């Protein structure tokens, strides 16, 4: 568990470079401004302080020992948002850019040495064509370039299948409606070569707390509505953890800075959703509306609305689904699937996955001491506001926020967005549960560069985030 010198867990660094933009020309050889901003992050974190400015500087050597297994987790989301293709700045606002990945991989490979191994990993949303996300952002070019130079680095898609749409009617607009009819089919993927291990958190799950909703009412989206139930009842709270993650010595997380309809923001903590292959096991909301103890909906639905929701994705054998939708084009957006500030379920899933990431040993047994070293660098060079994660509007923020504990990094990153971190449930609960060493009282915040005063526009379903920010 030891590298040469682990940086202070309570230190969070903000690198602010107004006007910063991603480098062009993959594989993004240095020097370029994003590479230099990442190096500034390493310096301010105090990594390999004694050799800064020398050819022997090895900043990630304070986290990575020679021969270590390292995983680097970018945020790769999707190439589509319903009928809209996500490209250009919108793609850069939703998924991690290759010019940020390049310096991280360069220094990780230097620290791990020829006996080490670096894997870039993610489990994007089920319909993501990862080639259409990682390719345009230059991630494939970076990995191919480093492999050609003899480094043991590769990308692993942690998913075991991808959902492929077949839609004879796809957004056909007639009579004020969008007609959609077809199938969602499964296409097998090779998955993690190290396999998967079931981790049962039992009484250490946040779903085992007295204030948690009953396991019988925990839900995932539509055609896999009740799939979480057998994994979160009878004292079990099970998650599927990829072997590549559990076998890692070091995790470097590169999440995007974005707003999110279910969680307010998505940063380091939320990124752990992309570290499990069995997404359908994950409780995302509790059945019903608040009048019956649920958070799936803001208010009760009519029988017609219930039928429309079921037909929007009806389960078929083999994991396939039928789509039969005709929403009105002028319809006011509805709150469904827990996509609002009343969601009091998903934060528990997020913190359970972070507990596994930090404290589960290679066999999947939870320990009291951290089992792998961790670094998060939030990519806010181009961030996202509004209807994130997929519908986020780009914000050229010029920011990086980094540190060695996800809850503290997220508290600072949320404040950089002009929002109150204590209104973000997963951040507040992580701090209250003692998952962040010393909490905000021990936070050491270092700022390199001028900070702006912009307040990110929250999702429409999160009006409480418009309140004035405070660190509490």
């Amino acid at each position: 568990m030891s590298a040469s010198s682990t940086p202070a867990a309570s230190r969070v660094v903000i690198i602010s470079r107004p006007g910063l933009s991603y480098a062009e020309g993959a594989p993004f050889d240095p020097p370029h401004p994003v590479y230099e901003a990442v190096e500034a992050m390493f310096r301010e974190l105090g990594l390999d302080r004694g050799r800064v400015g020398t050819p022997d500087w090895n900043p990630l050597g304070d986290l990575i020992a020679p021969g270590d297994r390292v995983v680097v987790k970018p945020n790769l989301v999707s190439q589509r948002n319903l009928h809209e293709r996500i490209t250009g700045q919108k793609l850069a606002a939703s998924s991690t850019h290759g010019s940020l990945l390049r310096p991280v991989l360069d220094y990780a490979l230097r620290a791990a040495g020829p006996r080490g191994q670096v894997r870039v990993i993610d489990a994007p949303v089920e319909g993501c064509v990862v080639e259409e996300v990682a390719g345009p952002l230059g991630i494939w070019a970076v990995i191919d370039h480093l492999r050609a130079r003899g480094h043991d680095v590769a990308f692993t898609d942690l998913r075991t299948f991808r959902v492929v749409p077949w839609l004879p009617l796809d957004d056909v607009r007639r009579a004020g409606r969008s007609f959609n009819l077809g199938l969602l089919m499964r296409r097998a993927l090779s998955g993690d070569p190290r396999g998967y291990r079931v981790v049962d958190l039992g009484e250490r799950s946040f779903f085992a707390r007295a204030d948690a909703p009953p396991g019988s009412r925990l839900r995932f989206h539509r055609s896999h509505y009740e799939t979480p139930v057998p994994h979160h009842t009878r004292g079990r709270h099970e998650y599927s953890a990829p072997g590549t993650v559990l076998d890692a010595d070091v995790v470097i997380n590169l999440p995007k800075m974005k707003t999110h309809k279910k969680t307010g923001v998505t940063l380091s903590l939320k990124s752990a959703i992309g570290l499990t292959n069995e997404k359908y096991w994950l409780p995302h909301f509790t059945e019903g509306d608040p009048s019956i103890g649920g958070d799936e909906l803001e208010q009760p639905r009519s029988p017609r609305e219930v039928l429309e929701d079921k037909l929007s994705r009806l389960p078929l054998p083999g994991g396939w689904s039928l789509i039969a939708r005709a929403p009105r084009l002028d319809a006011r957006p509805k709150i469904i699937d827990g996509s609002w500030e009343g969601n009091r379920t998903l934060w528990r899933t997020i913190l359970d996955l972070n507990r596994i990431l930090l404290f589960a040993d290679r066999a999947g047994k939870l320990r009291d001491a951290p089992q792998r070293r961790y670094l998060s660098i939030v990519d806010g060079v181009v961030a996202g506001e509004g209807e994130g994660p997929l519908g986020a509007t780009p914000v050229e923020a010029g920011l990086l926020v980094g540190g060695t504990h996800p809850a503290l990094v997220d508290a600072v990153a949320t404040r950089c967005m002009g929002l109150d971190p204590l209104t973000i449930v997963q951040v507040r609960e992580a701090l209250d549960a003692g998952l962040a060493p010393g909490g905000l009282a021990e936070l050491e915040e270092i700022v390199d560069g001028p900070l702006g005063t912009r307040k990110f526009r929250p999702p429409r379903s999160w009006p409480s985030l418009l309140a004035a920010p405070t660190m509490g």
Side-chain angles (χ1 to χ4, degrees):
M1 276 298 299
S2 64
S4 58
S5 174
T6 303
S10 59
R11 181 178 301 160
V12 176
V13 172
I14 304 167
I15 303 296
S16 178
R17 300 287 187 268
L20 180 65
S21 59
Y22 296 117
E24 297 180 358
F28 315 114
D29 291 331
H32 58 76
V34 173
Y35 205 105
E36 292 163 359
V38 173
E39 291 180 322
M41 170 68 68
F42 293 158
R43 287 195 300 272
E44 296 297 343
L45 285 170
L47 299 175
D48 198 15
R49 188 184 300 276
R51 293 190 290 184
V52 170
T54 73
D56 295 328
W57 189 45
N58 181 22
L60 292 183
D62 283 3
L63 290 166
I64 301 169
D68 272 352
R69 291 174 177 163
V70 182
V71 296
V72 179
K73 199 277 185 197
N75 187 192
L76 305 177
V77 185
S78 181
Q79 80 288 351
R80 292 185 70 88
N81 178 26
L82 292 178
H83 308 294
E84 177 191 8
R85 289 196 63 81
I86 303 174
T87 61
Q89 283 290 83
K90 285 193 172 183
L91 184 63
S94 65
S95 295
T96 308
H97 198 273
S99 63
L100 178 72
L101 179 67
R102 175 63 190 274
V104 172
L105 289 183
D106 281 352
Y107 283 107
L109 289 164
R110 173 180 290 191
R115 295 184 295 107
Q117 179 187 90
V118 177
R119 293 292 177 265
V120 181
I121 64 171
D122 199 11
V125 298
E126 60 184 1
C128 174
V129 181
V130 73
E131 295 81 4
E132 296 182 17
V133 177
L137 293 172
I139 288 175
W140 284 171
V142 168
I143 294 172
D144 290 345
H145 172 74
L146 294 173
R147 284 175 64 85
R149 296 173 64 181
H151 294 295
D152 188 356
V153 59
F155 178 79
T156 299
D157 189 335
L158 300 176
R159 300 174 298 175
T160 55
F161 67 89
R162 177 168 69 83
V163 169
V164 179
W166 178 71
L167 294 170
L169 292 182
D170 185 6
D171 193 26
V172 175
R173 301 191 173 198
R174 297 285 189 278
R177 291 183 178 272
S178 168
F179 289 89
N180 305 267
L181 179 66
L183 298 173
L184 295 180
M185 305 173 289
R186 285 195 184 191
R187 177 174 296 170
L189 299 175
S190 56
D192 189 346
R194 292 183 172 271
Y196 304 91
R197 298 156 209 170
V198 175
V199 180
D200 183 0
L201 294 183
E203 63 181 14
R204 298 184 70 175
S205 168
F206 284 88
F207 286 103
R209 293 186 1 173
D211 61 350
S216 61
R217 295 185 60 200
L218 298 177
R219 298 291 185 260
F220 189 78
H221 301 150
R222 303 178 189 174
S223 57
H224 300 276
Y225 194 59
E226 297 185 3
T227 305
V229 173
H231 303 286
H232 292 277
T233 48
R234 299 182 180 180
R236 290 191 301 267
H237 294 289
E238 296 178 334
Y239 299 88
S240 179
T244 293
V245 177
L246 292 181
D247 291 342
D249 302 293
V250 182
V251 175
I252 301 177
N253 193 7
L254 302 177
K256 290 296 298 186
M257 178 182 285
K258 293 178 297 209
T259 52
H260 194 289
K261 290 188 284 188
K262 283 187 173 64
T263 57
V265 300
T266 172
L267 300 160
S268 311
L269 290 164
K270 172 67 169 58
S271 180
I273 295 282
L275 290 174
T276 177
N277 62 306
E278 292 287 359
K279 299 286 185 71
Y280 301 156
W281 296 11
L282 305 182
H284 274 56
F285 48 85
T286 301
E287 180 185 14
D289 64 87
S291 70
I292 57 172
D295 57 20
E296 175 185 8
L297 312 161
E298 185 182 27
Q299 56 191 13
R301 288 179 296 184
S302 68
R304 177 177 177 175
E305 288 174 319
V306 172
L307 178 61
E308 287 176 347
D309 286 347
K310 286 188 178 299
L311 287 175
S312 69
R313 191 161 174 178
L314 190 68
L316 299 174
W320 290 23
S321 301
L322 170 69
I323 291 179
R325 301 175 62 244
R328 295 192 62 85
L329 295 173
D330 60 356
R332 182 180 177 183
K334 296 185 297 184
I335 291 175
I336 60 172
D337 297 340
S339 295
W340 67 305
E341 63 184 16
N343 189 313
R344 291 297 181 265
T345 303
L346 186 53
W347 72 264
R348 300 176 193 271
T349 300
I350 291 167
L351 295 193
D352 274 3
L353 290 170
N354 277 272
R355 183 163 270 169
I356 291 169
L357 175 63
L358 297 173
F359 293 101
D361 65 17
R362 294 187 177 188
K365 183 176 181 180
L366 217 58
R367 301 293 183 180
D368 293 329
Q371 297 299 295
R372 45 198 64 85
R373 284 152 262 138
Y374 178 95
L375 174 67
S376 180
I377 301 176
V378 177
D379 176 7
V381 177
V382 176
E385 68 177 0
E387 305 307 303
L390 296 179
T393 301
V395 176
E396 295 179 355
L399 290 169
L400 299 178
V401 183
T404 57
H405 197 282
L408 293 179
V409 170
D410 284 7
V412 173
T414 302
R415 190 173 68 169
C416 286
M417 299 168 76
L419 305 173
D420 181 357
L422 297 184
T423 64
I424 304 301
V425 187
Q426 67 267 21
V427 177
R428 183 179 68 243
E429 293 290 344
L431 296 170
D432 288 348
L435 290 182
L440 294 180
E442 300 296 325
L443 173 64
E444 177 191 4
E445 184 179 316
I446 297 173
V447 180
D448 178 348
L451 285 180
T453 58
R454 181 191 179 102
K455 181 188 288 288
F456 279 46
R457 177 169 51 87
R460 288 186 296 267
S461 56
W462 280 76
S464 68
L465 291 185
L466 294 172
T470 175
M471 285 301 290

